Amino acid sequence: MLVLVLDSSTPAVTAALAEITAHAVAPRGERSVVDARAHGELLAPQVSEVLAEAGARPADLAAVVAGVGPGPFTGLRVGLVTAASMGQVLGIPTYGVPSLDAIGHAATHPRSGAAPEAGPVLAATDARRREIYWAVYDLAGERLAGPEVDTPAAVAERARELGVRVAVGEGARRYADILELPLRAGLDYPPPYALAELAAERVRAGAPGDQLTPLYLRRPDAVAAAGRKPVLQ
Amino acid sequence: MADEPLILGIETSCDETGVGVVRGHTLLADALASSVDEHARFGGVVPEVASRAHLEAIVPTMRRALDDAGVTLADIDAIAVTAGPGLAGALLVGVAAAKGYALAAEKPVYGVNHLAAHVAVDTLEHGPLPEPAIALLVSGGHSSLLLVDDLATGVTPLGATIDDAAGEAFDKVARLLGLPFPGGPPIDREARAGSPDAITFPRGLTAPKDLAAHRFDFSFSGLKTAVARWVEAKQRAGEPVPVPDVAASFQEAVCDVLTGKAIAACRDRGVDTLVLGGGVAANSRLRALAEERAAKQGIRVRVPRPKLCTDNGAMVAALGSHLVAAGVAPSRLDLPADSAMPLTIVSV
């Protein structure tokens, strides 16, 4: 079953195709460009390109898998509305996967045959405003804490409490000096095949699709209107 | 006419999620979801609140529009979407959705100008627009006078507000008078019981010295302050504020300037068609005063029904239909949302 995988929760704007069979998830092409300010421009052409490269048409898709964040709001919505609109036209299910789970899953289930990590893993991405989105995973890739948004200092403390041994993700890299954890390189952003693997059981089972709800973790910046200032002095 | 193009339009530039379907100049569906109630306690539209609401509303609004029109996306010839101007985050939801629909249905997509769409929507009620025409577009975010030479390729801006939009002035005055947000409808309602001549409020940029530099521009900031001063003076004197009179006199000042400059633009350019659009064009006094003044000059006023004046998807579909009929090429899939899209660009 051919699935489209989208993630726009980080500066990496990602579209990929994966073939989900009874026992495996096989890559069928990927486009990922790191540009924090161009999610809206980049994503749709990338979808078009991966389809063309695979010799596939939209109607060949069996499902859309989307990273639901957490991530900066404006970019995150691009991926989710693209997934939702394509799913609606094609009459296929859309499955949401927390984007940090994909980083945690990839760290604990390396594809390359590299040894998995030795203890709980902190996955973190940049939340701007000097904060990070984070979650902690055990060696099986199960989430132990998060996703939440906090200052790097607060995350460092939680990570110590949870016995975290290694950190992954661009948020961990950016604040490595504060987190004081060994950093695993090469896993800055949610890998699309990890997203596909995390949705694979639902795809195979033909489970009902999700309404793709973003993990915003922050409320909109807005304050209720206060009293009006008088004009007369 | 079954051979006319079937066009879908998506609008998300502010707080309304709109999806419309037209065939040629015929309106088939105009589905709308609004987040206005979520903004009321903030006294104005909160961009992030609007963007979140668009994401939730787009799929159900699309479903309703297709059901109402009795068509599927496979039947559609092209998808038009507001690419700007508007709130950046809100625009992006609609633009990304339009691309997703276009990609999946393998249809062309047109990124179009919101203000040009406010002009085009009138074709759904009154047929093809005579060109050239003068358009007065007034809403909570815009107050512009344009010369429409050719709606498919470009319009010429003649003037615009130099401070507050007309609709913004209605919102602020409504708040001052204890009326709900958005302020247009309650002020219109209150004004019916008041006298437009009760209080003489200032007419911005109408003095001879201002006309030299700002002949077709507007200013509503001073008017808003003048109303505030008048109301506060009453309150300080312990006297009741005559809300209907203030509403009627304020509304008259706005409509006097808007229609006066619009008619002057028609005469200056030798144009005999004036189109009104935007949410403030739903105001009953603006419509009546424009008709009255235009009739004296032999100018025909075209103004769509109020539901088509405020933001909606049908207006975007109407412009898309005009572009397709004119043979304009569609946009590329990397088309950006442009919060400051200039009026001179009708489609990207």
Side-chain angles (χ1 to χ4, degrees):
Chain A
M1 305 167 88
L2 190 66
V3 301
L4 175 66
V5 185
L6 304 175
D7 192 278
S8 63
S9 65
T10 69
V13 187
T14 302
L17 289 177
E19 185 72 39
I20 297 184
T21 61
H23 303 291
V25 173
R28 290 283 306 274
E30 175 182 350
R31 277 282 190 291
S32 191
V33 176
V34 177
D35 184 341
R37 303 196 60 81
H39 292 64
E41 288 88 330
L42 291 169
L43 189 62
Q46 291 180 176
V47 172
S48 182
E49 286 162 23
V50 294
L51 283 167
E53 271 177 21
R57 292 182 59 179
D60 299 327
L61 295 171
V64 185
V65 176
V68 295
F73 310 153
T74 302
L76 178 59
R77 276 189 287 264
V78 169
L80 297 186
V81 79
T82 303
S85 55
M86 291 190 69
Q88 185 179 17
V89 176
L90 298 169
I92 56 176
T94 54
Y95 300 107
V97 175
S99 302
L100 287 170
D101 286 6
I103 299 179
H105 181 82
T108 50
H109 299 75
R111 291 181 77 84
S112 60
E117 302 302 342
V121 177
L122 169 73
T125 53
D126 189 17
R128 301 181 184 167
R129 306 181 192 181
R130 311 193 62 77
E131 291 189 324
I132 49 178
Y133 298 115
W134 67 277
V136 170
Y137 299 87
D138 68 14
L139 288 182
E142 293 296 318
R143 198 181 327 122
L144 299 175
E148 291 179 44
V149 59
D150 285 296
T151 61
V155 176
E157 194 179 324
R158 291 295 308 277
R160 267 194 299 278
E161 289 165 13
L162 291 160
V164 167
R165 299 281 294 272
V166 66
V168 294
E170 52 133 6
R173 185 163 50 80
R174 179 180 287 252
Y175 295 104
D177 56 331
I178 300 173
L179 293 171
E180 294 185 324
L181 285 165
L183 201 62
R184 156 115 180 254
L187 246 182
D188 273 356
Y189 305 114
Y193 303 112
L195 287 164
E197 280 168 1
L198 289 169
E201 281 313 310
R202 285 184 285 167
V203 174
R204 290 183 186 113
D210 303 331
Q211 186 163 357
L212 299 173
T213 305
L215 293 169
Y216 287 120
L217 305 189
R218 283 178 181 148
R219 300 165 65 87
D221 282 331
V223 284
R228 205 182 52 81
K229 274 189 252 163
V231 184
L232 296 179
Q233 293 303 309
Chain B
M1 296 283 283
D3 56 349
E4 287 186 302
L6 184 65
I7 309 296
L8 189 121
I10 298 174
E11 156 64 31
T12 66
S13 69
C14 191
D15 60 339
E16 318 277 1
T17 312
V19 181
V21 181
V22 307
R23 188 185 291 284
H25 295 302
T26 308
L27 176 63
L28 300 183
D30 180 19
L32 201 68
S34 178
S35 59
V36 66
D37 295 341
E38 295 174 55
H39 304 288
R41 72 192 173 97
F42 301 110
V45 175
V46 180
E48 177 59 22
V49 171
S51 300
R52 291 184 181 196
H54 287 310
L55 178 62
E56 287 174 25
I58 188 74
V59 167
T61 308
M62 173 64 71
R63 188 176 307 126
R64 199 146 45 82
L66 293 172
D67 287 351
D68 290 352
V71 301
T72 69
L73 269 159
D75 303 325
I76 297 283
D77 292 301
I79 296 169
V81 61
T82 299
L87 303 171
L91 287 166
L92 194 50
V93 176
V95 170
K99 291 179 188 181
Y101 288 120
L103 252 174
E106 301 183 276
K107 305 291 183 184
V109 62
Y110 288 80
V112 307
N113 189 304
H114 177 81
L115 295 174
H118 270 306
V119 179
V121 71
D122 183 67
T123 61
L124 300 179
E125 290 216 307
H126 302 113
L129 185 70
E131 289 165 340
I134 294 289
L136 172 65
L137 301 183
V138 271
S139 69
H142 312 279
S143 302
S144 298
L145 258 181
L146 349 162
L147 174 65
V148 184
D149 282 315
D150 180 351
L151 191 52
T153 56
V155 296
T156 309
L158 300 177
T161 182
I162 61 168
D163 41 54
D164 291 353
E168 213 177 334
F170 272 89
D171 292 340
K172 288 174 177 172
V173 168
R175 201 168 149 219
L176 185 71
L177 296 175
L179 301 171
F181 172 87
I187 286 184
D188 199 342
R189 216 160 32 240
E190 289 289 335
R192 281 172 206 164
S195 163
D197 306 318
I199 310 149
T200 306
F201 287 127
R203 269 67 169 161
L205 300 183
T206 55
K209 66 174 167 55
D210 292 327
L211 283 173
H214 295 288
R215 189 168 178 200
F216 298 127
D217 289 330
F218 304 107
S219 166
F220 298 107
S221 179
L223 168 61
K224 167 201 69 189
T225 305
V227 176
R229 294 178 75 92
W230 195 92
V231 168
E232 281 173 30
K234 278 276 170 204
Q235 288 166 336
R236 286 194 184 184
E239 295 172 35
V241 175
V243 172
D245 280 346
V246 175
S249 299
F250 158 76
Q251 178 175 274
E252 192 68 12
V254 174
C255 297
D256 182 20
V257 178
L258 288 174
T259 57
K261 294 207 175 198
I263 301 290
C266 289
R267 292 185 46 130
D268 181 65
R269 299 298 173 125
V271 169
D272 60 7
T273 304
L274 171 63
V275 190
L276 305 189
V280 180
N283 179 273
S284 65
R285 181 58 184 154
L286 181 68
R287 298 163 81 101
L289 193 57
E291 294 278 4
E292 182 189 318
R293 289 182 167 175
K296 287 181 189 154
Q297 306 286 344
I299 294 165
R300 187 177 165 221
V301 175
R302 293 174 43 135
V303 48
R305 61 179 177 266
K307 187 170 186 278
L308 293 178
C309 287
T310 46
D311 292 350
N312 61 80
M315 67 188 219
V316 182
L319 179 55
S321 177
H322 189 75
L323 294 171
V324 169
V328 173
S331 308
R332 291 162 28 145
L333 267 185
D334 62 355
L335 83 101
D338 181 358
S339 60
M341 189 172 184
L343 262 168
T344 46
I345 297 174
V346 172
S347 65
V348 294

